Amino acid sequence: MKKWTFFIGLMLPLFAVSQSVDQQSLDKIRSSFVKDNYTTGMQNALSANPITQLAWSRENEGSADHYFTYRVDVSGITNQKKSGRCWLFTSLNVFRPMAISHFKVSSFEFSENYLYFWDLFEKANLFLNNIVATADREIDDEKVRWYFRSPVDDGGQWINFVNLANKYGMVPREAMEETYSSENTAWMTKLLKRKLREQALELRELKSAGENKQAIEDRKVEMLSVVYRMLALNLGEPPVTFNYRYKNKDGELVEAGNFTPKSFMNEVLGEVKLNDYVMLMNDPTRPFWKHFEIENYRNVEEGANWHYVNLPNDVIKEFCIESIKNNQAMYASCDVGKQLRRDFGVLDVDNFNYEAVYDVPFSMTKAQRIQSRESGSSHGMALIAVEVDEDEQPLKWQFENSWGEKTGEKGYLTFTDEWFNEYMFRIVVHKDFISEKVLGIYGEKAEMLPPWDPMF
């Protein structure tokens, strides 16, 4: 025993030394940096200019237009301002064409602020429920730490919208306008998180002290009253009923009548059901043709978790083209920051050549970027257009964005089919445009993934 202890004692310092950069290694590294004319010039350029300006591929300038074979009838651009509500804007924007057609107006916008209020309120309830459910675990337990990391936030995706709309309905923007806090959410959510963490600690103490289930639930309801107050002060109170009047395309004033949020949603959507939309994913790190679900990834306690069918891109594109041909916009999310030329409104894998700037290869695949967290979905937009060749194969696509009209091509972003392959992740398509095979998989029991999975 003493012999092995002595051996390990000798080996540990050697192991530690082998991990450090010694002088010999440092000399070798320094000598590899050769100051030839190109390197000197590029060093001067990089030290005085934005990297993207130097990496911009000049041959791409003017190479993409914004015309398409098939395009959904859309009108107007929304603006999420300084908030992370892209998923909510995108989801509502999918149904804006229906509202424009139904009311025979030139433009229309749903109230994002209305559903944003209920999203934060429901997330607060789910967070406090999760805290009570895990109160018997240590405070540094992995799941408990995950909950405390972000009690509420602006983020979300399609299923969050479905959960909210099915419970609370939808209203026109006039029924609950944007406020400063809805357009600049940082401080409001920061203080809301602070209060929720404080409340969560109290609930853990109550559970540890042996308080009965009803007493804990009663205290949680009191806590939610505080959350409601904070939200109402920042965002206004959501309407229970409202009167809707508008001017149609002919300039005539129309008295549509009195609505509840749910009756208004039913008026606009008609026979369309939110649960008839299917989320499709392209995640090459996991098996295709399979149904997955993300544990506890929802906003409403009784709502559905995020779930999707993982598919190859070529299959997803077929469904997307059919949807666009039938004038149906789609919820889509992607890694928008990769290869984006904001001023031109173009996303192209050849927009920026960073290899030429550094003379260093960047060679990760899509799967490797996901696994290493180099890439993942960062933004949601409505997919509305596609350009195809004579064989109906896609060449380029278009997003309707929610960054206002001054970003991109009057608020729209055009992206190449190659960019779709590399940086598109999730698309939501109505079941009418999806094959029976995929619908069958969607109906199967999903494999559960942890909430901290790399894609989420």
Side-chain angles (χ1 to χ4, degrees), residues 82-83 88 102 123 135 204 221 262 322 335 342 349 365:
K82 294 181 179 179
S83 74
L88 190 48
H102 179 77
K123 282 175 177 173
R204 283 177 59 86
V221 171
K262 293 194 81 169
E322 283 304 306
D335 195 352
R342 280 176 177 253
V349 294
T365 64

Side-chain angles (χ1 to χ4, degrees), residues 137-151:
R137 301 190 184 199
E138 295 296 327
I139 193 74
D140 61 351
D141 175 83
E142 183 177 28
K143 186 167 283 190
V144 176
R145 283 190 289 109
W146 177 262
Y147 293 146
F148 270 102
R149 177 192 287 183
S150 185

Side-chain angles (χ1 to χ4, degrees), residues 80-89 112-113 115-117 119-121 123 150-158 160-161 164 178 180-190 192-193 231 235 297 299 331 378:
Q80 68 190 74
K81 300 291 181 69
K82 294 181 179 179
S83 74
R85 300 173 294 159
C86 61
W87 62 276
L88 190 48
F89 275 73
E112 295 85 9
N113 189 28
L115 286 183
Y116 181 53
F117 180 105
D119 179 60
L120 292 178
F121 180 81
K123 282 175 177 173
S150 185
V152 297
D153 55 36
D154 285 0
Q157 41 73 44
W158 172 259
N160 293 43
F161 161 73
L164 291 171
E178 292 286 287
Y180 178 85
S181 292
S182 70
E183 296 179 337
N184 301 268
T185 62
W187 267 104
M188 177 186 64
T189 54
K190 181 183 294 187
L192 194 56
K193 288 177 185 178
L231 291 174
L235 305 176
Y297 199 112
N299 49 353
Y331 178 102
S378 61

Side-chain angles (χ1 to χ4, degrees), residues 295-309:
E295 180 188 356
N296 203 60
Y297 199 112
R298 62 188 186 278
N299 49 353
V300 177
E301 176 65 50
E302 69 272 24
N305 281 331
W306 181 352
H307 62 118
Y308 62 88
V309 177

